[in-house]
Amino acid sequence: MTAPVLAMTVGDPVGIGPEITATVLAEFSGRDDQHGVSVADLAVMTRAVDVLGLDVELRPITDWSTPSAGQGVIDVFDIGVLGDDLPDWGIVDARAGQAAVTAIEVATKAAMDREIAGIVTGPINKEAVWKSGSAHLGHTEMLGELTGVTKQDTMFVVENTKVPEHKLQIFFATRHMSLRKAIDALTVDTQVDSIERAHRALQLYGVASPRLAVAALNPHGGENGAFGDEEIEILSPAVERVVDSGLEVAGPIPADSVFHQGLSGRFDGILSQYHDQGHIASKTFDFDGTISVTVGLPILRTSVDHGTAFDIAGQGIADAGTMRSAYTAAIGYAPFVDGIRAEYLPK
């Protein structure tokens, strides 16, 4: 079986992205179950390796099919944006923003052309991206435009130390909006759509018979309307509708217990009702082990879920834990790429 080629975009080249990318690729360079390639200017990776004091060779490549050179070698797909004239560490810079955008474009094209199995993205700085002239609000919007997709979902994957063989995947019915607006956005139809999309994503990402739970919105699940009626009027009818269609879905279950139940192995996925409901639960349990997968793209994309950390960039002290988790997740999901592509490629 051919090892999947995974492109790692470093994100902003003056943030911690190059350092955590170099750390992870150095660790995985001797393994035959994957071939990681850094997508960045060669000089960016050289500076990161020097800062870290890594004993590795950097090998520039121009062909994604180039075989791995094995342990101690990091392959770099040189994007040729910055050359040897690198911006200073930790400064918002338009050229750095352009390098981040170009790396994403190069990696996404390779994934769309089936030259690689997927991409693992490092953190970008949105201000730097905007300074470069890009109008994209962020990674997700950029990837959507590059792949022709208008609807994407976020799936958090939590490294489960309670039941190591069981991954917990968290979805979000609403995301970047105020809590008041998120509550107002909930309807039976939107909840059904969110449940069905989450259930299908679990199947596409390797869970043959998904068990999905729907988190309640109100304390104690509303206590039969005493603490809110969204469970009665919206969430329960939505769950009943999808159960009647044949899906294995439970809920709404009070949010103060449903994530514990998921981590204990009872559920494969949980639908969170708003941004912080799922974020707080997952990141409190395992901040470094929680990573993000963009569902709805016709390519595999895993990502760190933290920022560029400009304050410590270039010091060689950045924790690569989340990047390691994102890369490990990409290896695990790589066998399902064909199904993901078939499901989400725009018709």
Side-chain angles (χ1 to χ4, degrees):
M1 182 175 179
T2 304
V5 179
L6 298 168
M8 297 186 73
T9 60
V10 302
D12 195 297
V14 300
I16 63 170
E19 296 167 75
I20 59 178
T21 298
T23 297
V24 172
L25 288 181
E27 292 176 2
F28 281 79
S29 64
R31 290 176 40 167
D32 59 7
D33 60 345
Q34 48 69 54
H35 178 198
V37 178
S38 172
V39 186
D41 283 86
L42 182 61
V44 167
M45 292 305 295
T46 299
R47 182 166 71 170
V49 166
D50 289 345
V51 162
L52 294 165
L54 293 176
D55 183 19
V56 295
E57 173 191 346
L58 294 175
R59 182 178 68 161
I61 66 170
T62 57
D63 187 339
W64 294 106
S65 65
T66 303
S68 170
Q71 189 168 3
V73 179
I74 297 176
D75 285 335
V76 182
F77 200 99
D78 191 345
I79 59 175
V81 174
L82 300 174
D84 293 326
D85 182 20
L86 302 184
D88 292 336
W89 290 108
I91 303 296
V92 175
D93 185 277
R95 293 176 63 237
Q98 183 57 58
V101 170
T102 300
I104 296 165
E105 292 172 342
V106 168
T108 302
K109 183 179 186 303
M112 289 294 287
D113 291 344
R114 303 192 186 194
E115 295 180 295
I116 61 175
I119 63 177
V120 182
T121 58
I124 63 172
N125 180 281
K126 292 182 181 179
E127 185 180 353
V129 168
W130 297 333
K131 278 192 170 186
S132 75
S134 173
H136 294 294
L137 295 177
H139 253 134
T140 303
E141 295 80 7
M142 195 182 314
L143 289 164
E145 183 171 320
L146 291 171
T147 59
V149 169
T150 57
K151 174 69 173 176
Q152 306 110 51
D153 299 310
T154 294
M155 178 175 78
F156 270 13
V157 182
V158 184
E159 293 287 340
N160 194 349
T161 54
K162 290 176 67 68
V163 186
E165 68 277 8
H166 175 73
K167 289 187 295 189
L168 179 63
Q169 287 141 131
I170 300 174
F171 302 86
F172 300 85
T174 61
R175 290 190 64 231
H176 292 143
M177 57 180 68
S178 71
L179 182 55
R180 185 180 302 278
K181 288 182 179 179
I183 294 171
D184 291 342
L186 296 176
T187 68
V188 174
D189 287 342
T190 61
Q191 188 74 181
V192 167
D193 182 60
S194 294
I195 293 170
E196 290 176 340
R197 292 172 69 87
H199 193 277
R200 181 58 178 148
L202 288 170
Q203 291 178 318
L204 291 169
Y205 283 80
V207 182
S209 301
R211 299 163 301 161
L212 180 69
V214 172
L217 175 69
N218 293 299
H220 300 185
E223 287 281 14
N224 293 319
F227 300 154
D229 57 10
E230 285 83 4
E231 284 75 18
I232 296 172
E233 296 187 358
I234 299 173
L235 304 186
S236 291
V239 170
E240 290 171 8
R241 188 189 300 181
V242 297
V243 168
D244 287 344
S245 73
L247 302 187
E248 185 174 347
V249 180
I253 299 173
D256 62 359
S257 59
V258 69
F259 295 99
H260 168 74
Q261 293 175 18
L263 288 166
S264 297
R266 182 173 175 181
F267 303 113
D268 303 297
I270 296 171
L271 178 64
S272 168
Q273 297 304 326
Y274 57 91
H275 181 280
D276 281 10
Q277 187 181 59
H279 277 246
I280 291 171
S282 59
K283 292 180 179 179
T284 299
F285 180 75
D286 189 356
F287 188 90
D288 290 332
T290 297
I291 62 100
S292 176
V293 179
T294 306
V295 174
L297 298 174
I299 62 172
L300 169 63
R301 182 258 178 148
T302 67
S303 180
V304 299
D305 195 57
H306 60 68
T308 53
F310 276 175
D311 57 325
I312 62 169
Q315 299 179 36
I317 60 174
D319 188 338
T322 308
M323 181 62 96
R324 185 180 299 108
S325 295
Y327 191 69
T328 301
I331 296 171
Y333 288 133
F336 309 113
V337 167
D338 287 344
I340 293 167
R341 181 184 182 87
E343 179 80 10
Y344 296 127
L345 193 67
K347 303 299 188 287

